[in-house]
Structure formats: structure tokens, C-alpha cells
Amino acid sequence: MSYNCILVSTDGPVGLITLNRPEALNALNRQITAEISAAAAAFDADPAIGALVVTGSDRAFAAGADIKEIADKSFAEVYEENFITATWEGLARVRKPTLAAVSGHALGGGCELALMCDIVIASETARFALPETAIGIIPGAGGTQRLTRIVGKAVAMDMIMSGRALSAEEALAMGLVSRVVAAGDHVTEAMTLAKTLAKRSRPVMQLAKEAVSKAYETHLQEGLYVERRLLYATFALEDRKEGMTAFAEKRPPAFRNR
């Protein structure tokens, strides 16, 4: 598939999606979100790919939704076209590990796009904000839900109601990002980590992702129940036996993804 608003490449077992609308600071319109979802689905289906990285430019990961595209829309139009859901959620549906490599502005939909990923690697220049209320709307691509589950009600209320921006270090302290690196190193760090994850057993990584996602979505007892069942499932895998055998023999495991 050819793309107009993103660049797609691979580096070994890692797929890389680079947002590429520099004239609009990677603002997210219907076309770019559809392309991100399509590329993410293609990587997810590719047996040669074990992990996925999404990034933007040094100046902007993504500076929010493209307001020019939606400014004149009516309620009936956004409802009928299933705005947001129709094209935005593909990245959140990927079963393989997903990483966001963020530099510069991650505003509105850009922040929400990063929140869809499993791990966020931030350059020290990264800034995260949900400023939608300043233009008369609210976040609609998971900002009110994913952000609240990560940083808690007080900070989420502050960010969403006032538009407060978090620096990379603040985002790290609040659990929104997992690592902060020097300016310009975010993609390299994310790709290095993604290659490490891609070498692990694919089904084990999917089970781990499912278990953590369940903790994010449900109450403790239900999450513990699911965790145990998913742990038990690993004992049906050849990779589980290989991993434990390799550990006992003090050698690297040779996973076969089954």
C-alpha cells in the first residue's frame, strides 16, 4: 500500500511509522489517521515484524487534530461518519508491542495517539497537552479515559480543563512516559527497545500485553483472574519450555513463536 501522509519502513523485526505532514506539524486529519491505522494493521499481520514504533519529527510528534478539516462540521456529520472511531483506533488494536517515540509537541490528538501505544519514549523536548477545551470541544480519541487511568483524576482534570502542558520530565514522574532521553535520541532508543521486544516469544508478548491491558480496564480481582489464566496458557507454549531450559543451561533462548 502506498501512503501520502506517513513514511513506512522496517529495521529487522521492527516496523516504523513516521508521521509526515511537516507543513501542518503532523496535524491529524482523516487521511493520516487512516494511513496510520492501515500501516499498523499491516505490521500486526506481518509475521516478520515483532514490534512497532510510531514517531513524528523532532519539532512535533503531532500537533493535534487538523482543525481546518473539522471546523465546519455539524453534529449530524460527525455522528454519521463515526468521527474518530472510523480511522483513529487502529493503533490501539495492534496485538504486538507498540512504542511511541515522541519529540516536541504531542498536543490533543497527538497526545492521544501516544497514549494508544504500550510504551512512550520521550525526548527531553517533548511536551504533552490536551488543549481542546480552549477551542470549544473535549478530547475524543481516548484522552479523557486513557489519560485519567494513567495519571489520575486530579492531573487529568487539570490538563483537560486548563490545557496544562506536561514537560517530558513531568510526564515521566506521572507515568505518562516510561523513559526520557536526550534530544534527538528518542527514535534510536525506541528502536533499540523494540528490537529487544521483537526477539521475545511473540505469543508470550501478546499474552503479557493482554494481561496489562486488563489491569488498565477492570478491577483487581478480575484482573488477577485473567492474569492467572494467561500465565497458565504460557505453559502450553514450546517457547515457555525453551525459555526455561535456556535459563537453566545459561544460554540465550531460541524462541520459535509457538
Side-chain angles (χ1 to χ4, degrees), residues 78-99:
V78 294
Y79 187 78
E80 177 64 25
E81 71 182 37
N82 204 14
F83 176 58
I84 299 293
T85 305
T87 60
W88 284 65
E89 288 289 324
L91 186 60
R93 291 192 290 266
V94 172
R95 297 181 68 199
K96 295 172 181 176
T98 56
L99 297 84

Side-chain angles (χ1 to χ4, degrees), residues 131-150:
E132 285 90 342
T133 59
I135 59 169
I137 59 175
I138 66 170
T144 66
Q145 302 303 303
R146 293 189 176 99
L147 180 70
T148 304
R149 285 166 169 77
I150 293 169

